[in-house]
């Protein structure tokens, strides 16, 4: 298998990131550089990501970040094989900044362009880190997404469940806000929960035991809001109670998806389940998924935290997966605010 060297650019939310990765499917890949500028300070005063501020910051930062990614990799643009960038889904202003830059770089250097679906980037990150073979079950939990999918190959995803309202990360962020904690709330809630009593507040577990593998988190968020309005809450206890409820929901839905995966891909000794997306940074969630996987006979794979939150390396790697199949994109490839994984066009060649 030929090794590809790809520059990856990520600008779909509040991280301006670029990386150079070398390798080929099924991975693992070699991360030659991985530069991430987090815009946290820019957005903190507003308690969440402000799209206009994000787009402006990407414009200001991206050139320097790309230059650093190349220099840390010890390469010039002429020495990479292709330029990959997130083309969606995400905040459209930011996506356009990254994609237009990638197009300019590709055009100037005479390199092919790869327009990457951000979710495919998260979804393949365990191949970059561990070379996990297709097919596998993926629990993708981030600030914008909460999905359970069978990943069969490039552009080939089978959706088992998705959130019918909020994403898991969004629930963490909103709960943190109710507790007066700064954005992003996930890491703050996790830290507080570590010292709290998860049995203190009785919170709902939406969708538990329901048919299918869909999620819902808005009822949980509403319950937290009512609690904070009705009484003086103990923040660590509420954080712990909230996190325990999220974990029960994730584990129940993941368990249901494991049964679906076994039905669709029978006869596999120890199928892989991958936990990816920013929420996968949560230690308690990792531990709960580990216990569930052990109980259900699945092998759990979690990329390192740096590859779970938004980064350029996963975009470069998704570019490598596509390049290896000869899947490149024209220079007029569109930036998309919405781009569900199940409509990612399947590869034209067998893969
Ligand atoms: O994947 P990501 O970096 O960006 C999106 O594509 O959304 O995920 C960010 C999300 C935020 O909602 C953040 O609060 C959450 O991941 N997150 C966490 C933790 N670290 C980040 N949630 C729970 N526990 C954490 N330790
Ligand atoms: Zn993401």
């Amino acid at each position: 298998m030929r090794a590809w060297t790809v520059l990856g650019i990520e600008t779909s939310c509040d991280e301006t990131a670029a990386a150079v990765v070398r390798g080929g499917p099924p991975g693992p890949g070699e991360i030659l550089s991985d530069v991430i500028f987090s815009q946290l300070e820019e957005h903190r005063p507003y308690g969440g990501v402000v799209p206009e501020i994000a787009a402006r910051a990407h414009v200001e930062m991206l050139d320097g970040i790309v230059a650093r990614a190349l220099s840390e990799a010890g390469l010039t643009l002429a020495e990479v094989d292709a330029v990959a960038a997130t083309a969606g889904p995400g905040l459209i202003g930011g996506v356009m900044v990254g994609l237009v830059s990638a197009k300019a770089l590709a055009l100037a250097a005479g390199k092919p362009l790869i327009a990457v679906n951000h979710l495919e980037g998260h979804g393949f990150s365990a191949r970059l880190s561990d070379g996990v073979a297709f097919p596998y079950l993926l629990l993708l939990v981030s600030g914008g997404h909460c999905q359970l999918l069978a990943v069969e190959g490039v552009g080939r995803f089978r959706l088992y469940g998705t959130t019918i309202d909020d994403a898991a990360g969004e629930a963490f962020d909103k709960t943190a806000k109710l507790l007066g904690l700064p954005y992003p709330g996930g890491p703050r809630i996790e830290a507080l929960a570590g010292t709290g009593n998860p049995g203190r507040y009785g919170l709902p577990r939406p969708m538990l035991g329901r048919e299918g593998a869909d999620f819902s988190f808005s009822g949980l968020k509403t319950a937290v809001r009512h609690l904070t309005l009705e009484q003086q809450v103990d923040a660590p206890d509420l954080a712990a109670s909230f996190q325990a409820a999220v974990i029960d929901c994730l584990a129940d839905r993941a368990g249901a998806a494991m049964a679906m995966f076994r039905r669709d891909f029978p006869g596999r000794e120890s199928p892989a389940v991958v936990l990816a997306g920013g929420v996968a940074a949560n230690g308690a969630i990792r531990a709960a998924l580990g216990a569930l996987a052990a109980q259900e006979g699945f092998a759990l794979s979690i990329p390192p935290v740096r590859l779970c939150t938004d980064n350029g390396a996963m975009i470069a790697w998704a570019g490598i997966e596509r390049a290896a199949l000869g899947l490149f994109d024209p220079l007029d490839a569109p930036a998309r605010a919405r781009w569900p994984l199940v409509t990612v066009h399947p590869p034209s060649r067998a893969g």
Side-chain angles (χ1 to χ4, degrees):
M1 178 63 77
R2 138 156 208 211
W4 290 81
T5 304
V6 171
L7 169 67
I9 293 173
E10 159 59 35
T11 56
S12 68
C13 192
D14 58 345
E15 262 89 29
T16 314
V20 181
V21 176
R22 180 175 288 159
E30 189 187 351
I31 299 174
L32 302 181
S33 66
D34 178 22
V35 184
I36 303 174
F37 169 73
S38 177
Q39 304 174 359
L40 281 184
E41 293 312 318
E42 278 82 347
H43 300 289
R44 187 158 282 150
Y46 308 95
V49 178
V50 183
E52 276 306 312
I53 293 176
R56 187 178 294 251
H58 288 307
V59 169
E60 285 167 6
M61 299 303 296
L62 187 57
D63 286 356
I65 301 271
V66 167
R68 246 183 76 197
L70 286 168
S71 82
E72 285 181 16
L75 297 174
T76 63
L77 187 58
E79 290 169 303
V80 306
D81 298 313
V83 181
T86 295
L91 300 174
I92 192 68
V95 173
M96 285 170 67
V97 171
L99 186 59
V100 165
S101 293
K103 288 174 179 177
L105 291 168
L107 186 64
K111 305 291 178 182
L113 171 77
I114 305 154
V116 171
N117 182 305
H118 180 82
L119 303 176
E120 193 165 79
H122 277 301
F124 291 166
S125 56
R127 286 168 64 80
L128 166 58
S129 61
D130 297 308
V132 176
F134 298 130
Y136 52 83
L137 179 65
L138 169 68
L139 172 54
L140 175 58
V141 273
S142 73
H145 302 277
C146 190
Q147 300 184 340
L148 279 155
L149 307 127
V151 183
E152 296 175 77
V154 171
R156 291 166 56 203
F157 300 87
R158 209 177 286 210
L159 185 67
Y160 290 146
T162 186
T163 181
I164 58 171
D165 41 58
D166 294 346
E170 207 176 346
F172 270 93
D173 294 336
K174 288 178 175 172
T175 295
K177 206 168 179 177
L178 289 169
L179 289 175
L181 301 169
Y183 177 86
R188 311 274 176 162
I189 296 276
E190 181 181 10
L192 267 186
T195 62
N197 168 12
R200 169 81 178 274
Y201 299 105
L203 293 172
R205 267 78 171 151
M207 310 297 277
L208 221 69
R210 286 269 194 98
E211 192 166 335
D214 283 341
F215 303 88
S216 166
F217 291 106
S218 77
L220 181 52
K221 173 196 66 191
T222 306
V224 170
R225 188 170 65 235
H226 284 154
L227 269 178
T228 58
L229 291 175
E230 284 158 11
Q231 54 180 282
Q232 189 68 39
V233 293
D234 179 89
D237 287 353
L238 185 56
S241 302
F242 166 81
Q243 186 172 276
V246 172
I247 286 173
D248 284 351
C249 295
L250 292 177
D252 179 79
R253 308 287 68 201
M258 284 174 178
M260 295 171 168
F261 187 91
R262 284 218 185 265
R263 180 201 63 205
D264 288 347
F265 304 95
R268 278 164 207 277
E269 186 67 26
S270 183
V273 55
V274 170
L275 178 62
V279 180
N282 186 292
I285 292 174
R286 290 167 168 251
L289 256 292
L292 175 71
Q295 179 192 314
E296 299 297 327
F298 275 69
L300 178 65
S301 175
I302 313 176
V305 169
R306 192 176 166 87
L307 288 180
C308 282
T309 49
D310 288 348
N311 65 88
M314 70 179 188
I315 303 305
W317 176 259
I320 287 174
E321 295 266 9
R322 294 196 151 254
L325 295 172
L327 296 172
F328 300 103
D329 292 275
L331 284 176
D332 63 354
R336 312 181 203 203
R338 293 184 52 77
W339 187 6
L341 256 189
V342 277
T343 66
V344 174
H345 72 96
S348 44
R349 295 208 219 147

